[in-house]
Amino acid sequence: MEEDAPHGHKRSRDRDQDDESGGGEETAKSEGSGGEKQERGASDQSPNQMEHDDDDASPDDFQETRPQPKRSRTLPPQQNLIEIVKGNGDLISKAVKIWVERYEDSPRLATAELLSMLFEACGAKYSIKEELLDETDVDDVVVALVNLARAGEIEDYQSSKKKELKNFKENLVSFWNSLITECQNGPLFDKLLFDKCMDYIIALSCTPPRVYRQTATLMGLQLVTSFISVANTLGSQRETTQRQLNAESKKQADGPRVGSLNKRLSVTHEQITTLEDMMRKIFTGLFVHRYRDIDPDIRMSCIQSLGVWILSYPSLFLQDLYLKYLGWTLNDKAAGVRKASLLALRKLYEMDENVPTLGLFTERFSNRMIEMADDVDMSAAVCAIGLVKQLLRHQLIPDDDLGPLYDLLIDQPQEIRRAIGELVYDHLIAQKFNSSPSGLTGQDDSSSEIHIFRMLQILREFSTDPILSIYVIDDVWEYMKAMKDWKCITSMLLDQNPRTGSTTDQDLTNLIRLLFASVRKAVGEKIIPSTDNRKQYHSKAQREMFENNRKDITVGMMKNYPQLLRKFMADKAKVSSLVEIIMFMKLELYSLKRQEQSFKAIVRLIKDAFFKHGEKEALRSCVKAITFCASESKGELQDFSRGKLKDLEDELLDKLTSAIKEVKDGNDEYSLLVNLKRLYELQLLKPVLVESMFDEIALTLHNFRNLDEEVICSLLLNMHMYVVWSLHSIINCEAVSEASLASLISKRDILFKELSYFLNGVEESRKYGNPLALRICAILAEEWCLFRKSSFDSSKLEVLGYCPDSVLLKKFWKFCEEIFNTSDETDEEDENKEYVEETSRDVAAIAACKLVMSDVAPKDYLGPEIISHLVMHGHSVTEIIKNLITCLRKKEDNISNIHLESLKKAYQRYASEVSCDGGESKVEKCLEVCRELAGRLSGMYIGAARNKYRLEILSVVKEGVEFAFRDAPKQLLFLEVAVLPFATRLPAPDIMDIKREVQGRIVHVNTDEDPSGWRPCFTFLETLEEKCLKTEDLQDDKEGAAAKRRGRPKKRPETERKRLFDEQSGSEEDESISGGSEKEEVDEDAPLIETIRSAARRRALRGQRSKGH
């Protein structure tokens, strides 16, 4: 059999270059020539991807002849290996066995067949004749394969979307793994077959065509993985043989048994050494170049495989020589590569026996690992946090280095926050990584009380901001069971001297926040606002779990909850969260557990807390809690709760009447303000339709015009709520009396009268500040929308319809504009006032937009006014106005007039500043606002919208040109600033029409009299001309390319090569292979007349510019 075997190779590869090389046949040859001692390297693809699905292939090809015994000289039938790899993966094992038999009988024939499969797996149909196998040089074959790629005669099986090739990658990996497994008792160690395969795989992995590199890297990496599998098996055999030899040597120093074992041990060791040499050859010849390939998928597969190799064969790969590649790729520009490196490292650090060897590597790269917790890719950042956990577990990094990680608790996506939360729990709360005993001596370190106390120490860092505290609680909640220990938390709140140490008042506040947040989390509530506002959906198992948690919360706090309310009732920082806990309990358990007195005590305490506080948060919480008890409790407890709610309402009205009397008597307004706030919070959840109270409030507002601004706001809000509830009751009533309609209209008119008075007072005397003006605007918009005529037309309630007159509407918009233009400093001054989130520009923007969308105000008037402020007042107002434009687009077929009028409004603001000499900075700012507005509005016509709304864009442009020339050249700047962004969105024929129209307007005009005034017009025309030329050149290029594809033969291989490698290769050598730039190729191939025409057009354009200036 030896005379048929291929002889040794005459070449080796000297790899001094870092990546790929190219430059034609000479370059490919130079890469492949040399002596035999140098090594090539290859890399790719994790060995875990070995799924085999049935495909369309049939086993008919090798069902007729069964594998013959090895002693038989009858050759098995020749197989098409590539079809098996492309087809049914289940047939690979049988096909490999048949091929191995063929190799044992005819090495050259089988080797040629395997190499043909290798080449075709890369996408090229190429074969080596059996008789020329020994004389064929690897480099010559590689050059021929590269030429096939240049000619476009290859197929990419690995990236193909064809159904029959969906398992190609997995099947190819499985084929090489099965082949090595089947050859481990023979051809694997003959230093002929696999040396030949490795040479071709390494050579192909260094070629420019990306498809070659991808497939060759995949095969090369799998070879190493399979070599490791065989080496591990042989290693186990070597250990067994060594034990047997040691045992036998003790019995008899010499003998046939000892000699046989020594020989077996020597052969096994030699085989392992051979395998390791082959691994090194692929690593140095393939991996060290492909791990830096331009294709991120190739780089990622290299790093994934290296991680597997180090983990499965540490005796060779667990050393800094190989580990450094994992460290270097932590800085890779592709997130997938960075993540692959992090995952590989995390698996290494999970095995304790690897840690001592990783010491120097950790010292070098630990800072980068910590930095990657803030990686731009979320999945990579989560992996990095998991890796840092492993470093902490082995105490390889100091706590001082973790500061930046803790900052991620509060400002990152949920996945990263949860990963940091797990790290915080393991390291700081459970202290799983600490070898030293807990500082809290004498305690069970895993007790709930200890964990909660440590959590409070963390929350002290965020005490000044409750929202940040909630973020931290949300991050850690999933991992910290102590947060669900309700009895422990309540006992800590009631015990002034906890065993864990002294707790401050701030600790108690944080503990109540923690309790409230944990209760909400336990029943499925979100404690962190969601960005998508999508409704939550829970499975049946989740709903059952939440229900069980409600029971546990109720039982755990049933007895201590009233004590907590008594203790903290007077503390405004704590009472709000504490009171709302009742809303997440299962109230029927109070009856089942015979704890009715405890429930009644809770309701009484909530009522008392309502009258102890005057702040919005505490009042709102008390109202929500007692209303929940009145609606959700059952039987006697419900009757009791409803009775207490009625008592609360009556007592509040009495207090309000008394407070109004005090104001009439000339006393302080504080009591009136507090009780008005209480009434408003109560009316937010339930109607308080006491007509006498409305009349008394209205009379107070009418008779006492010098009240504090905040008191006036509260009076107006309560009147507004009364009117809203009255309208609601009438709409939902089947029989409506005329008296009730008259009463409602009377109350509404009284409210409108008071609003108009204060609106005029703000305008005329500037007596009142911005908050009152904004409150008036918000109430007016709400009332106008509620009573708009379209809602009641042709109904029994038609008399309720109302439409504001144009004077009042203009006054309303004037105040909205003033609110928009309020300086940021003024907004900051109002931050200490109640309901601050409602006193912002957003409220004015929403109120104005609501009038437009509800058809209360004419959209042709108010729509452009609002849209003209699109880019002037920050992100939130911009988003509100963009939403208005979207809604208008849905309702209106054509909004070109609204866009044009908004541009005119913005330009008129600029013109007004110019005329009144408002200062250079203001003028420039107004002009920039107009330009940016035009850019934003025209930017909405992108892609298919440019064709869909072509007539709309054309209307804006034509009307804009008309407006600009209405007072030429004074308004011509409007052309350049506002019209031009829309004009460039039109197709070339329309642009030419617009250009001719503008040129026609200036034919008989002497533009030299005012060159600066007419300059915007010439700029407009030049830009349109450039746009047309650019479009024509692009069309010429497309037509030329189409002509080349249709009728022009392929004269030069470089042209096709450029097309092939420009997208698929990505090697650094691609540029040298493909020649010049794509632009140069197109210019060379284009007809000469096209070049002349293009140059002539550009010369004509330059001539027009020089004349214009």
Side-chain angles (χ1 to χ4, degrees):
M1 217 191 283
E2 289 184 1
E3 62 265 24
D4 293 333
H7 298 294
H9 307 298
K10 297 180 180 179
R11 60 154 204 66
S12 73
R13 188 166 297 264
D14 183 6
R15 293 297 300 166
D16 293 332
Q17 299 179 5
D18 290 333
D19 209 330
E20 309 132 328
S21 56
E25 300 181 5
E26 293 80 2
T27 305
K29 285 185 178 180
S30 65
E31 284 185 351
S33 60
E36 183 176 357
K37 295 182 180 178
Q38 295 296 329
E39 300 174 333
R40 280 183 200 266
S43 57
D44 191 39
Q45 198 55 36
S46 169
N48 301 326
Q49 304 172 351
M50 292 209 172
E51 301 174 2
H52 306 304
D53 298 324
D54 290 343
D55 219 329
D56 299 332
S58 171
D60 295 342
D61 291 337
F62 32 96
Q63 276 186 347
E64 298 177 359
T65 306
R66 296 178 178 273
Q68 298 297 321
K70 292 184 180 181
R71 295 178 182 177
S72 173
R73 300 303 300 172
T74 304
L75 291 178
Q78 186 172 357
Q79 311 165 93
N80 192 340
L81 294 178
I82 190 62
E83 293 301 325
I84 295 170
V85 172
K86 287 158 56 177
N88 190 347
D90 293 338
L91 305 177
I92 289 176
S93 179
K94 182 178 180 181
V96 166
K97 291 180 180 179
I98 295 175
W99 181 88
V100 171
E101 291 182 19
R102 289 180 59 78
Y103 181 82
E104 291 174 349
D105 290 327
S106 180
R108 289 182 178 176
L109 178 61
T111 302
E113 180 185 347
L114 182 63
L115 291 178
S116 296
M117 187 280 296
L118 189 155
F119 301 146
E120 191 164 355
C122 292
K125 293 185 178 181
Y126 187 90
S127 60
I128 303 174
K129 295 182 179 180
E130 175 187 354
E131 59 272 13
L132 299 178
L133 188 63
D134 296 340
E135 291 77 17
T136 303
D137 186 73
V138 174
D139 298 311
D140 294 334
V141 174
V142 171
V143 168
L145 292 172
V146 170
N147 287 332
L148 286 176
R150 288 173 179 163
E153 298 176 5
I154 62 172
E155 185 174 355
D156 186 356
Y157 296 127
Q158 188 171 334
S159 303
S160 176
K161 301 298 182 182
K162 294 180 180 179
K163 183 178 179 181
E164 59 269 18
L165 296 173
K166 64 178 181 179
N167 297 320
F168 176 80
K169 188 175 178 180
E170 291 79 2
N171 289 350
L172 185 61
V173 168
S174 175
F175 174 84
W176 287 101
N177 185 61
S178 299
L179 180 62
I180 292 172
T181 303
E182 192 67 27
C183 293
Q184 63 181 316
N185 296 319
L188 181 58
F189 302 103
D190 65 6
K191 296 186 179 181
L192 297 173
L193 171 63
F194 281 94
D195 279 9
K196 177 76 73 174
C197 291
M198 286 190 295
D199 287 339
Y200 279 106
I201 288 174
I202 293 171
L204 286 168
S205 73
C206 298
T207 55
R210 186 173 299 195
V211 61
Y212 287 175
R213 299 201 315 278
Q214 286 176 332
T215 309
T217 303
L218 174 68
M219 293 187 289
L221 295 177
Q222 181 56 41
L223 286 180
V224 176
T225 304
S226 300
F227 290 160
I228 289 173
S229 178
V230 175
N232 283 330
T233 302
L234 293 174
S236 299
Q237 294 176 5
R238 182 172 60 181
E239 291 178 4
T240 302
T241 304
Q242 185 66 57
R243 286 196 303 270
Q244 292 174 346
L245 180 60
N246 294 339
E248 198 66 31
S249 297
K250 293 178 182 179
K251 300 177 184 177
Q252 186 177 2
D254 294 321
R257 175 67 173 165
V258 173
S260 174
L261 290 172
N262 272 320
K263 183 178 180 182
R264 188 195 306 172
L265 186 64
S266 176
V267 170
T268 305
H269 181 75
E270 184 180 348
Q271 290 177 336
I272 292 175
T273 303
T274 301
L275 287 171
E276 290 180 351
D277 288 341
M278 289 194 288
M279 295 179 207
R280 291 190 187 97
K281 180 176 181 179
I282 293 178
F283 187 89
T284 56
L286 187 149
F287 180 92
V288 295
H289 307 293
R290 296 285 65 75
Y291 93 97
R292 300 193 312 119
D293 194 279
I294 198 171
D295 186 339
D297 291 332
I298 294 177
R299 301 200 303 272
M300 183 170 64
S301 59
C302 288
I303 297 305
Q304 287 173 338
S305 295
L306 179 59
V308 173
W309 301 342
I310 297 173
L311 203 63
S312 56
Y313 203 66
S315 60
L316 174 62
F317 289 105
L318 187 58
Q319 51 182 310
D320 293 333
L321 176 65
Y322 302 100
L323 288 169
K324 64 184 180 183
Y325 295 100
L326 295 180
W328 289 342
T329 49
L330 291 174
N331 295 289
D332 195 279
K333 63 183 178 181
V337 181
R338 298 195 300 274
K339 182 179 177 182
S341 179
L342 290 166
L343 289 172
L345 289 172
R346 191 170 72 178
K347 291 178 181 179
L348 289 178
Y349 282 100
E350 284 173 355
M351 301 182 67
D352 295 345
E353 59 270 22
N354 293 337
V355 174
T357 313
L358 293 167
L360 184 61
F361 175 84
T362 305
E363 183 181 348
R364 168 67 179 82
F365 292 104
S366 60
N367 288 338
R368 176 57 185 158
M369 298 177 198
I370 296 173
E371 288 174 1
M372 288 195 67
D374 197 17
D375 194 89
V376 294
D377 182 77
M378 187 169 60
S379 60
V382 171
C383 292
I385 294 166
L387 177 57
V388 171
K389 273 185 59 179
Q390 295 301 323
L391 297 178
L392 283 172
R393 184 170 71 90
H394 298 295
Q395 299 182 359
L396 296 175
I397 54 176
D399 290 352
D400 296 340
D401 293 346
L402 300 179
L405 265 68
Y406 297 147
D407 293 339
L408 303 180
L409 281 167
I410 56 177
D411 64 350
Q412 286 289 338
Q414 177 176 308
E415 290 80 1
I416 293 179
R417 289 193 294 102
R418 294 290 168 81
I420 295 290
E422 184 179 10
L423 174 65
V424 167
Y425 174 73
D426 289 343
H427 183 52
L428 299 180
I429 298 175
Q431 297 188 357
K432 295 179 180 179
F433 309 145
N434 290 3
S435 57
S436 58
S438 169
L440 301 168
T441 56
Q443 304 289 334
D444 179 8
D445 197 54
S446 62
S447 70
S448 295
E449 196 167 347
I450 298 295
H451 287 186
I452 292 172
F453 184 77
R454 289 171 180 161
M455 183 64 180
L456 291 178
Q457 291 177 315
I458 296 172
L459 292 178
R460 287 174 188 171
E461 303 294 326
F462 306 93
S463 296
T464 57
D465 194 331
I467 296 177
L468 298 186
S469 300
I470 297 299
Y471 268 84
V472 176
I473 292 167
D474 182 69
D475 300 338
V476 181
W477 188 87
E478 183 179 344
Y479 314 101
M480 185 173 168
K481 292 183 179 179
M483 283 197 198
K484 283 81 98 177
D485 193 338
W486 317 115
K487 291 183 178 179
C488 176
I489 297 175
T490 52
S491 65
M492 288 181 69
L493 285 168
L494 292 172
D495 189 357
Q496 295 181 353
N497 298 304
R499 295 186 298 275
T500 52
S502 60
T503 53
T504 64
D505 182 69
Q506 189 59 58
D507 288 336
L508 293 175
T509 301
N510 286 333
L511 187 54
I512 288 177
R513 287 177 188 158
L514 183 149
L515 173 62
F516 180 49
S518 184
V519 165
R520 292 172 63 197
K521 288 281 290 182
V523 298
E525 292 274 329
K526 282 186 177 181
I527 63 174
I528 300 296
S530 177
T531 55
D532 54 13
N533 294 322
R534 287 184 296 180
K535 185 178 179 181
Q536 279 186 289
Y537 292 96
H538 300 294
S539 64
K540 182 180 179 181
Q542 287 176 317
R543 292 194 297 269
E544 290 177 354
M545 179 185 69
F546 296 151
E547 193 65 21
N548 291 332
N549 288 342
R550 285 182 185 273
K551 294 179 182 177
D552 294 340
I553 293 167
T554 308
V555 173
M557 298 184 63
M558 189 174 286
K559 293 183 179 179
N560 290 336
Y561 189 40
Q563 299 178 45
L564 291 176
L565 289 174
R566 288 191 188 95
K567 181 176 179 179
F568 300 108
M569 181 193 299
D571 194 329
K572 64 180 182 181
K574 303 178 180 65
V575 69
S576 179
S577 299
L578 203 55
V579 161
E580 287 194 45
I581 291 176
I582 188 70
M583 298 170 60
F584 304 99
M585 291 184 178
K586 201 169 178 63
L587 300 185
E588 55 264 32
L589 289 179
Y590 279 92
S591 298
L592 295 174
K593 299 287 184 179
R594 299 184 179 277
Q595 294 292 324
E596 292 89 348
Q597 295 305 316
S598 177
F599 177 83
K600 292 178 180 179
I602 292 170
V603 176
R604 292 191 194 98
L605 290 167
I606 293 173
K607 175 178 172 289
D608 294 343
F610 178 79
F611 288 106
K612 275 189 177 292
H613 296 279
E615 301 80 20
K616 181 182 72 173
E617 290 78 11
L619 294 175
R620 192 162 292 182
S621 296
C622 291
V623 172
K624 288 196 303 188
I626 198 167
T627 305
F628 176 82
C629 293
S631 61
E632 298 299 323
S633 56
K634 305 295 181 185
E636 179 189 351
L637 299 184
Q638 187 176 51
D639 294 339
F640 179 83
S641 300
R642 290 177 175 175
K644 285 299 174 183
L645 182 57
K646 185 65 172 66
D647 292 344
L648 181 147
E649 180 181 327
D650 295 340
E651 186 175 347
L652 174 59
L653 294 177
D654 292 340
K655 287 179 179 290
L656 186 58
T657 302
S658 176
I660 292 174
K661 188 175 183 300
E662 288 180 9
V663 171
K664 290 179 180 179
D665 294 341
N667 294 327
D668 189 41
E669 301 169 5
Y670 176 75
S671 178
L672 176 61
L673 176 62
V674 170
N675 285 290
L676 284 172
K677 288 181 179 180
R678 290 169 180 163
L679 179 60
Y680 176 67
E681 293 298 334
L682 185 61
Q683 287 197 96
L684 285 176
L685 284 184
K686 68 179 298 292
V688 184
L689 297 177
V690 180
E691 191 170 350
S692 59
M693 181 53 62
F694 180 90
D695 295 337
E696 201 164 352
I697 290 174
L699 194 60
T700 303
L701 194 59
H702 181 76
N703 293 337
F704 297 91
R705 297 300 192 186
N706 295 322
L707 292 172
D708 182 78
E709 186 177 329
E710 195 173 0
V711 176
I712 295 173
C713 284
S714 296
L715 288 166
L716 291 172
L717 281 172
N718 279 287
M719 292 174 68
H720 167 62
M721 291 305 301
Y722 182 93
V723 172
V724 170
W725 280 114
S726 299
L727 177 62
H728 180 267
S729 64
I730 286 177
I731 291 175
N732 293 317
C733 182
E734 294 182 0
V736 181
S737 65
E738 292 185 5
S740 60
L741 284 175
S743 175
L744 174 58
I745 293 173
S746 172
K747 300 291 189 297
R748 182 197 68 188
D749 291 343
I750 292 173
L751 176 59
F752 283 167
K753 183 179 179 181
E754 295 300 325
L755 289 170
S756 298
Y757 171 82
F758 287 105
L759 199 61
N760 292 328
V762 172
E763 181 184 18
E764 293 171 2
S765 64
R766 302 292 171 187
K767 176 181 176 182
Y768 303 107
N770 181 65
L772 179 58
L774 185 134
R775 182 65 62 201
I776 291 170
C777 288
I779 294 175
L780 274 175
E782 190 70 27
E783 291 285 338
W784 288 345
C785 291
L786 286 172
F787 289 96
R788 64 182 181 271
K789 281 185 173 294
S790 58
S791 299
F792 303 103
D793 284 346
S794 304
S795 70
K796 296 179 181 179
L797 305 178
E798 188 172 1
V799 68
L800 292 177
Y802 179 85
C803 181
D805 58 55
S806 60
V807 175
L808 188 58
L809 200 58
K810 290 179 180 178
K811 193 177 293 185
F812 167 86
W813 174 244
K814 181 180 178 182
F815 276 101
C816 287
E817 282 193 305
E818 289 183 1
I819 293 166
F820 286 156
N821 295 327
T822 300
S823 64
D824 295 332
E825 290 78 10
T826 304
D827 288 344
E828 291 174 4
E829 290 173 4
D830 294 329
E831 281 186 1
N832 58 342
K833 295 189 177 182
E834 202 103 47
Y835 306 100
V836 66
E837 75 280 359
E838 299 175 12
T839 56
S840 66
R841 297 182 179 123
D842 296 0
V843 177
I846 292 171
C849 293
K850 189 183 294 184
L851 295 183
V852 174
M853 294 313 302
S854 301
D855 295 324
V856 173
K859 59 177 64 66
D860 292 334
Y861 160 67
L862 197 54
E865 292 280 9
I866 298 172
I867 295 172
S868 68
H869 287 262
L870 177 66
V871 297
M872 295 176 63
H873 309 297
H875 176 73
S876 58
V877 173
T878 297
E879 290 301 314
I880 293 168
I881 298 177
K882 283 170 64 177
N883 189 55
L884 169 66
I885 296 172
T886 303
C887 295
L888 287 173
R889 168 68 66 198
K890 292 178 180 178
K891 293 181 66 175
E892 302 291 330
D893 293 333
N894 191 321
I895 60 173
S896 60
N897 183 59
I898 294 177
H899 281 342
L900 179 62
E901 290 300 319
S902 65
L903 292 171
K904 290 180 182 179
K905 299 287 183 186
Y907 183 79
Q908 286 165 357
R909 281 196 292 267
Y910 158 75
S912 176
E913 290 292 338
V914 172
S915 63
C916 69
D917 194 16
E920 186 177 349
S921 62
K922 282 189 175 181
V923 170
E924 287 297 325
K925 182 178 179 182
C926 289
L927 185 62
E928 185 59 34
V929 165
C930 185
R931 182 179 282 109
E932 188 176 352
L933 174 64
R936 289 285 190 97
L937 294 179
S938 63
M940 296 178 182
Y941 299 99
I942 58 174
R946 296 172 68 171
N947 294 326
K948 183 178 180 181
Y949 300 110
R950 170 183 157 274
L951 295 178
E952 194 171 295
I953 302 171
L954 192 60
S955 175
V956 172
V957 174
K958 288 185 175 181
E959 294 295 329
V961 170
E962 183 70 29
F963 174 78
F965 277 93
R966 193 172 298 165
D967 189 10
K970 188 176 179 180
Q971 292 186 169
L972 286 179
L973 188 58
F974 187 76
L975 278 180
E976 179 185 349
V977 173
V979 179
L980 187 57
F982 284 87
T984 55
R985 300 280 172 180
L986 291 169
D990 290 334
I991 292 177
M992 294 302 297
D993 291 342
I994 296 296
K995 186 165 73 74
R996 283 191 291 269
E997 180 184 346
V998 174
Q999 287 172 337
R1001 289 176 179 267
I1002 63 175
V1003 169
H1004 303 294
V1005 178
N1006 185 7
T1007 59
D1008 294 333
E1009 292 181 356
D1010 187 4
S1012 61
W1014 288 94
R1015 185 175 294 116
C1017 180
F1018 291 117
T1019 303
F1020 181 79
L1021 291 172
E1022 289 172 8
T1023 307
L1024 294 186
E1025 179 68 20
E1026 289 179 359
K1027 180 71 176 177
C1028 289
L1029 288 178
K1030 184 178 178 182
T1031 305
E1032 288 179 14
D1033 288 344
L1034 182 61
Q1035 186 64 31
D1036 289 342
D1037 293 343
K1038 288 182 178 178
E1039 290 175 359
K1044 284 194 292 183
R1045 286 193 297 270
R1046 286 194 301 268
R1048 186 173 295 183
K1050 298 173 184 175
K1051 294 181 179 179
R1052 296 178 300 162
E1054 286 80 7
T1055 302
E1056 183 63 29
R1057 187 187 318 148
K1058 176 65 180 177
R1059 184 186 63 79
L1060 175 67
F1061 296 138
D1062 189 49
E1063 291 296 328
Q1064 296 184 4
S1065 172
S1067 300
E1068 291 180 357
E1069 296 87 350
D1070 289 355
E1071 293 184 8
S1072 62
I1073 288 180
S1074 57
S1077 66
E1078 186 177 358
K1079 183 177 184 300
E1080 293 170 345
E1081 285 186 14
V1082 174
D1083 288 345
E1084 288 180 17
D1085 288 341
L1088 181 60
I1089 187 63
E1090 295 298 332
T1091 306
I1092 296 173
R1093 286 174 180 169
S1094 180
R1097 283 195 296 266
R1098 290 187 176 89
R1099 283 197 300 272
L1101 176 60
R1102 285 196 293 270
Q1104 288 181 5
R1105 287 180 183 171
S1106 61
K1107 291 179 183 178
H1109 292 291

